[in-house]
Amino acid sequence: MVKDVIKETEDKMKKTIEVLRKDYATLRAGRANPAILEKVTVDYYGTPTPINQVANISAPEPRLLTIQPWDKSLVPTIEKAILKSDLGLNPSSDGNLIRIVIPQLTQERRLELVKTIKKKAEEARVSIRNIRRDSNDKVKNLEKTKVISEDETKKGQDEIQKLTDKYIKEVDHVLEVKEKEIMEV
C-alpha cells in the first residue's frame, strides 16, 4: 500500500522535472536549438500545427537554425508564425529553406532569462512540495483507515521526504545548468 503511494509520488516528481526541462529547452539561450520552436504553431489546412510536424528543423551551425517545410507553400506561413511568436527571431527564406540566425543575447536579456528560469524552477519546487503533501495525506489516510500501522506511516513519510529532497536537488541542478548556458558569452 505505502509502496504504491511512494511509486506514484516518484512518478509525479519525475514528470515535474521533465516538464521543467522541456520548458527550459524552449527558452532561447543564444545557441541554436530546434526546441525553441516547439511552441510555435502554423495554420496547416485550418489546423494549428507545431512547426516540427510540417518541416525539418535543424541547427547546422551554433547560431543558425534551418527550417525546411515539406510543403513549399508553407514557407510564408511559417515565417509569419515565427515573427508573431515572442521569441524575437527574424526568419529569412529563399522560397525553399527558412534560415534563422540566432542573435547574440544582450546582458539585459540574459538577466531577464535568468529571472524567468528561476521563476520556473520555483514553480517546479512548489509542485514537488504539493506532491509531497498529497502523498503524505494519502499515507495518513491509510493509517486512519487501519490499513497500515503508525510505524509504516512514519517510514512512508520519511521515504516521501527523501524523494522530495532528491527531486528538489534535481530542480536546482537543472536550473544551475541552464543558468550557466544563458550566462556564457
Side-chain angles (χ1 to χ4, degrees), residues 6 8 42 50 59 64 67-68 78 88 99 144 160 180 185:
I6 289 169
E8 183 185 332
V42 293
L64 179 71
I67 303 167
Q68 188 156 24
I78 291 173
R99 288 179 183 78
K144 269 185 199 164
I160 290 167
K180 274 183 188 161
V185 179

Side-chain angles (χ1 to χ4, degrees), residues 18-95:
E18 284 172 31
V19 167
L20 182 67
R21 282 200 166 109
K22 274 187 178 165
D23 270 357
Y24 281 3
T26 62
L27 288 173
R28 188 162 68 87
R31 209 181 247 150
N33 180 352
I36 65 173
L37 297 174
E38 273 182 9
K39 292 181 180 172
V40 181
T41 59
V42 293
D43 184 37
Y44 186 60
Y45 296 106
T47 308
T49 310
I51 290 178
N52 60 5
Q53 291 181 16
V54 295
N56 274 335
I57 304 172
S58 60
E61 296 170 27
R63 296 206 170 279
L64 179 71
L65 279 180
T66 58
I67 303 167
Q68 188 156 24
W70 298 311
D71 179 351
K72 303 291 180 234
S73 66
L74 280 176
V75 170
T77 313
I78 291 173
E79 280 185 288
K80 283 180 195 150
I82 292 167
L83 284 169
K84 273 198 273 182
S85 73
D86 60 353
L87 295 171
L89 300 173
N90 291 318
S92 64
S93 75
D94 60 10

